Amino acid sequence: MTQHRFAISPFRQALPDGHSPGVELAESKARLGQAQEHLLTTLRSIRQGIMIFGPDGQVHLCNARAVELLQLPAHFAEDAIDLSDVAAVLTATDVSLGADGQSASMRRGDGQVISIQLNRLTGGGKVLLVEDITAERRRDENLQLAESEYRSLFENAVCGIYRDKPDGTPVRANRALVNFNGYETEAEYNAAVKSNGGNWYVDSDRPRLFQHLMATQGEVRDLVSEVYSHRTRKRLWITENAWYVRDQSGNPIYTEGTIQDATERVQGLAEVEQHANTDQLTGAASRFHFMNALNAVTRDLRGTCVLFTIDLDKFKEVNDMLGHGAGDAVLNATARRLRTLAGPAATVARLGGDEFAVLMAGVSATMNADMIAADFVNAMRQPIEIEGHNTIIGASVGVALFPAHAADSTELLNHADLALYHAKTSGKSKACIFDHVMKNRLQQRKALEAELREAIPANTLELYYQPIVGTASAKVHGFEALMRWNHPRRGFLQPGQFLDVAEEAGLMTELGNWAIRRACRQTAALPAHIAVAVNVSPSQFRSSGIVDHVKQALADSGLEAGRLTLELTETVLLSSEAIAARVMDQLIDLGVKLALDDFGTGYSSLSYLQRFAFSRVKIDRSFVAGLETKPANTAIIRAIIRLAGDLGMDVVAEGIETEAQAALLRAEGCDFLQGYLFGRPKPYLDITADLAMSSLREILPSKPGLPLETHAQRRTVHNSL
Ligand code: C2E
Ligand code: CA
Ligand code: CA
């Protein structure tokens, strides 16, 4: 800053020449010179530029700083210039010097800001003060900018911002907060807070909590509360933060804070929670909620509970047959009934599909769990109205007690399920309480399953054959092949003893396909007029390779396709009619015949007869059994036979044990008869012998007593197949 070229002309004309110098004069001159010296030094060193004009407008004095700041030509300092010259320069830089005592500022080309002030001197002249105020101006501008930035942030923030006095009187509130409370202006809002501030929070304890947090922690962080919008009184959720603004000695002078609308988030959470805790269809508790409740009880040292698991017996059928709407109606009715019986303290949950659970916590182990379970079973035996029809669904119930039956929630649930499983396998619509014997039985079942996997390779399966007799001819028309298992330790097992294990273990298709292969091979070796019927389970029918498998079995055995009948039950048709119909067509294309087994036990049997290409109907044993005593059965059988006749189907009656039954069926015109009366299922060996014998009898009708059957014969036949 000291490199300024010091261009100043001393007081021009300040000391008019021509005065006679004396001693005093010399002294005063010296004093004057000194004063001038001081003045010059001062003028040289101050940061202001100074120009002094005489009354005539001539510049009397100008320091270098003024020349520099005003960017005047250098000669200003030396040459005589007048105020108008300066004014011209200033005009060129957009600053006008109007009235005296006025000030102005100008921005120079290089960006520096210069302030200029013109004051009148008492002697008639003028003094011009020039100053570089760039730094101050910049500071001001920055301050202004910052202020306007903050103001904009404050005003335009999406969250509410406020400043209150410590007593709660509002000082400032931004637009978001004003609008949040239903107002347009800050004044309206302030007025509302003054008259009604205490009633903002829905929970009347909230202000106290807020004050407590401020007092103890000096701030409030992310406090979520429900409030009433001041004007509308609409309930909204907020998240708020607050803190104190303190003076230098630390005393709070303001409370400041932010308020965010959390309504959507809170409602979203509540919805999610509600969603997670409730089964949307039935309104019962969800599995998630149920497991939480179960865990809470079983983790409590003194917790006790009874757990019921419930499974509907015929849900799948209803769902498949009558559609999902019907299925939903059943599930809703189930949830309703369970809730009514279980009472408000119990947790009724839908665990998935048609599986329900009821948790009764805190009840003593001595409560009559078995009676409650029986109530559930009974309630589910009552018909449910679906689309105007009463349908009986039925349910099985498993029960397990905590802590008597299990150590934790997982085990408790497993044991209730085991009891449920037991209830289902010992006949539907039953309730069972867990006991430890059940567990053993399950283990045995698992063992049976493992052994069954070995049955085909170990060659311990066998087919028995039961004759089907022509009503008119009284001769054997063919046989139904029925599976038996020569279990290595348990002995000879009937299908009822192992087929559901096979079904559950996913082995049914393998076993069933084996039966088809074996029956084809064995039948191919029988006289050509003898047919064979093989049972096909629903899962086997639905398995992808069934058509190919039958084709292969026929090809391998050389059995003529027309001699093979496959017996299907209605359940085969339930899941997808379109697929079932296609598979059936493919089988029929092979030349195979199809029989509808167990006819009369299912749902809409008669409509199936018309819709699917069966060539035979087998009337279920249950109709035949009551034939002599129940006239209604006769009527039903008559109707079936007539309908089947109209549709060009054969009718076989199953389970005939008495002559009376046989006589009635003959009279009704049933085509074929099957039952113990005509022969029990027998080993292949036996039927070949029987057939051989009867054909011999035909050849040698008049010579009885011939030794037709010998052990040697039997062995030969058996080994060849
Ligand atoms: P189903 O197809 O209804 O077979 C007829 C059942 O009735 C056979 O029982 C047979 O022994 C029995 N039965 C025949 N006549 C009479 C009678 O006059 N009185 C009585 N009380 N019962 C009679 P079995 O052999 O125990 O077979 C039971 C079921 O096992 C069969 O019922 C069939 O559904 C299934 N099954 C048997 N073998 C096979 C097979 O190879 N594959 C498939 N998928 N299922 C089979
Ligand atoms: Ca059958
Ligand atoms: Ca049957």
Side-chain angles (χ1 to χ4, degrees):
M1 66 193 303
T2 47
Q3 75 271 39
H4 301 156
R5 184 174 67 88
F6 201 70
I8 187 156
S9 67
F11 283 165
R12 301 168 183 213
Q13 303 167 10
L15 293 169
D17 294 335
H19 276 276
S20 60
V23 176
E24 301 97 78
L25 192 64
E27 274 178 5
S28 50
K29 241 186 174 176
R31 250 185 278 127
L32 198 61
Q34 211 176 13
Q36 191 178 354
E37 184 60 35
H38 286 165
L39 181 64
L40 285 175
T41 311
T42 308
L43 286 176
R44 227 180 276 138
S45 53
I46 59 170
R47 32 187 300 271
Q48 277 97 350
I50 293 178
M51 288 175 106
I52 294 173
F53 301 88
D56 55 354
Q58 289 291 303
V59 173
H60 288 194
L61 180 142
C62 173
N63 69 356
R65 185 81 177 130
V67 174
E68 180 205 9
L69 287 175
L70 289 173
Q71 292 179 309
L72 301 171
H75 68 265
F76 260 67
E78 291 121 34
D79 299 352
I81 44 170
D82 60 27
L83 185 56
S84 59
D85 292 334
V86 178
V89 171
L90 295 179
T91 311
T93 54
D94 261 2
V95 174
S96 63
L97 291 168
D100 292 341
Q102 269 203 343
S103 65
S105 65
M106 70 171 203
R107 190 178 286 275
R108 277 185 353 201
D110 59 1
Q112 298 293 97
V113 182
I114 310 298
S115 94
I116 297 163
Q117 207 178 344
L118 190 67
N119 290 321
R120 184 191 291 270
L121 290 171
T122 35
K126 284 179 179 166
V127 59
L128 184 73
L129 289 170
V130 194
E131 204 175 342
D132 183 345
I133 56 160
T134 310
E136 286 92 325
R137 182 52 66 84
R138 199 164 288 153
R139 211 165 31 240
D140 284 355
E141 276 171 6
N142 283 346
L143 211 64
Q144 242 169 42
L145 195 69
E147 214 236 355
S148 79
E149 261 175 21
Y150 281 121
R151 185 185 304 281
S152 157
L153 276 180
F154 176 79
E155 276 308 333
N156 299 320
V158 270
C159 77
I161 305 175
Y162 64 88
R163 165 179 279 189
D164 285 353
K165 290 194 186 139
D167 67 1
T169 315
V171 178
R172 284 303 316 269
N174 74 343
R175 193 165 18 181
L177 186 57
V178 169
N179 294 347
F180 180 79
N181 282 290
Y183 293 108
E184 288 298 320
T185 68
E186 199 176 337
E188 289 173 316
Y189 168 77
N190 289 349
V193 175
K194 271 184 202 134
S195 68
N196 180 39
N199 289 330
W200 205 44
Y201 293 96
V202 172
D203 174 1
S204 58
D205 275 345
R206 221 56 181 169
R208 217 173 311 142
L209 173 69
F210 187 94
Q211 289 309 329
H212 174 77
L213 289 170
M214 288 301 280
T216 54
Q217 292 167 22
E219 62 172 9
V220 167
R221 282 218 165 271
D222 297 330
L223 180 67
V224 176
S225 314
E226 197 178 12
V227 298
Y228 295 108
S229 161
H230 277 303
R231 192 177 65 80
T232 60
R233 304 309 284 166
K234 205 169 116 190
R235 288 163 81 132
L236 298 164
W237 286 92
I238 57 159
T239 305
E240 62 182 320
N241 285 280
W243 54 90
Y244 284 128
V245 177
R246 297 173 192 275
D247 64 14
Q248 278 173 344
S249 41
N251 300 318
I253 44 171
Y254 295 120
T255 311
E256 284 183 347
T258 62
I259 286 174
Q260 265 168 297
D261 187 348
T263 311
E264 257 171 51
R265 190 166 62 89
V266 171
Q267 281 171 354
L269 280 178
E271 220 165 84
V272 166
E273 195 177 326
Q274 156 83 4
H275 201 82
N277 282 334
T278 321
D279 170 52
Q280 295 308 299
L281 177 63
T282 62
S286 65
R287 173 181 275 274
F288 174 77
H289 179 75
F290 166 78
M291 286 312 295
N292 283 344
L294 187 62
N295 282 329
V297 181
T298 54
R299 280 189 195 136
D300 180 350
L301 279 180
R302 277 177 296 171
T304 59
C305 71
V306 182
L307 173 62
F308 303 85
T309 51
I310 297 123
D311 194 282
L312 301 184
D313 290 335
K314 286 194 196 148
F315 178 71
K316 197 173 154 30
E317 282 90 330
V318 168
N319 212 36
D320 289 347
M321 298 271 315
L322 305 174
H324 292 301
D328 290 354
V330 169
L331 295 174
N332 276 314
T334 305
R336 228 174 9 248
R337 288 179 191 183
L338 293 178
R339 264 200 299 265
T340 310
L341 282 174
T347 305
V348 173
R350 177 167 167 240
L351 302 184
D354 59 342
E355 231 187 296
F356 288 83
V358 176
L359 176 67
M360 294 186 177
V363 288
S364 74
T366 53
M367 74 172 286
N368 295 324
D370 51 346
M371 285 172 69
I372 297 175
D375 284 347
F376 288 154
V377 170
N378 278 334
M380 290 316 299
R381 254 198 226 122
Q382 304 312 308
I384 294 172
E385 197 187 299
I386 300 165
E387 291 157 7
H389 298 284
N390 277 339
T391 309
I392 293 176
I393 302 295
S396 305
V397 179
V399 187
L401 310 178
F402 184 80
H405 291 157
D408 58 34
S409 58
T410 315
E411 199 179 25
L412 189 65
L413 195 55
N414 281 340
H415 286 178
D417 276 344
L418 189 57
L420 171 62
Y421 173 80
H422 191 76
K424 283 168 83 171
T425 50
S426 53
K428 310 262 157 148
S429 276
K430 289 228 163 81
C432 249
I433 299 189
F434 173 82
D435 67 46
H436 289 279
V437 179
M438 252 174 222
K439 231 178 161 177
N440 295 341
R441 225 174 290 149
L442 182 75
Q443 279 153 1
Q444 279 178 21
R445 213 179 155 87
K446 291 274 170 224
L448 194 70
E449 195 182 301
E451 287 156 355
L452 196 54
R453 281 180 207 282
E454 293 302 311
I456 296 175
N459 203 19
T460 50
L461 290 177
E462 197 180 337
L463 287 183
Y464 269 39
Y465 290 88
Q466 183 177 33
I468 298 170
V469 177
T471 312
S473 68
K475 281 187 188 151
V476 174
H477 161 82
F479 296 91
E480 177 172 4
L482 296 159
M483 206 181 288
R484 300 292 181 264
W485 183 16
N486 272 307
H487 190 277
R489 282 175 295 105
R490 283 168 223 246
F492 197 67
L493 302 183
Q494 305 290 321
Q497 292 170 282
F498 64 91
L499 283 191
D500 49 338
V501 176
E503 189 69 67
E504 246 170 67
L507 289 168
M508 199 54 232
T509 301
E510 205 183 321
L511 295 190
N513 286 347
W514 170 87
I516 293 174
R517 282 199 306 275
R518 172 62 65 98
C520 286
R521 203 141 32 101
Q522 291 186 324
T523 309
L526 298 179
H529 67 277
I530 299 294
V532 71
V534 184
N535 293 286
V536 173
S537 80
S539 59
Q540 184 188 1
F541 180 80
R542 279 193 289 267
S543 70
S544 57
I546 181 70
V547 177
D548 287 342
H549 194 88
V550 171
K551 196 173 172 183
Q552 193 66 44
L554 289 170
D556 289 350
S557 62
L559 183 75
E560 196 241 314
R563 290 170 73 187
L564 175 65
T565 299
L566 298 178
E567 296 193 356
L568 311 175
T569 53
E570 278 171 320
T571 30
V572 159
L573 314 171
L574 288 181
S575 57
S576 163
E577 290 197 0
I579 293 173
R582 201 176 61 227
V583 174
M584 287 174 67
D585 286 345
Q586 289 172 341
L587 290 170
I588 289 165
D589 285 347
L590 293 180
V592 171
K593 295 194 177 93
L594 302 177
L596 183 56
D597 206 354
D598 302 342
F599 187 72
T601 56
Y603 285 89
S604 50
S605 305
L606 288 174
S607 70
Y608 281 144
L609 280 187
Q610 285 163 311
R611 250 180 299 155
F612 294 99
F614 290 105
S615 48
R616 175 182 290 177
V617 182
K618 296 188 82 173
I619 299 173
D620 191 67
R621 204 168 63 205
S622 53
F623 290 104
V624 175
L627 212 49
E628 300 105 314
T629 49
K630 290 186 204 144
N633 281 13
T634 316
I636 292 168
I637 286 177
R638 187 175 301 152
I640 296 171
I641 291 172
R642 182 149 327 138
L643 180 65
D646 288 349
L647 295 169
M649 301 176 188
D650 292 340
V651 181
V652 180
E654 285 189 284
I656 300 161
E657 296 182 353
T658 68
E659 264 306 338
Q661 290 165 349
L664 269 163
L665 287 158
R666 267 188 215 111
E668 293 301 335
C670 186
D671 303 293
F672 298 101
L673 307 174
Q674 180 183 354
Y676 292 170
L677 182 67
F678 305 98
R680 291 189 173 252
K682 284 187 200 172
Y684 179 68
L685 200 54
D686 290 10
I687 60 152
T688 53
D690 288 352
L691 285 173
M693 204 152 72
S694 62
S695 53
L696 261 183
R697 273 203 201 95
E698 269 170 30
I699 300 163
L700 305 165
S702 53
K703 299 217 172 155
L706 253 151
L708 289 174
E709 204 178 352
T710 66
H711 271 294
Q713 268 180 322
R714 294 178 78 156
R715 196 95 333 121
T716 329
V717 179
H718 188 66
N719 289 347
S720 67
L721 295 157

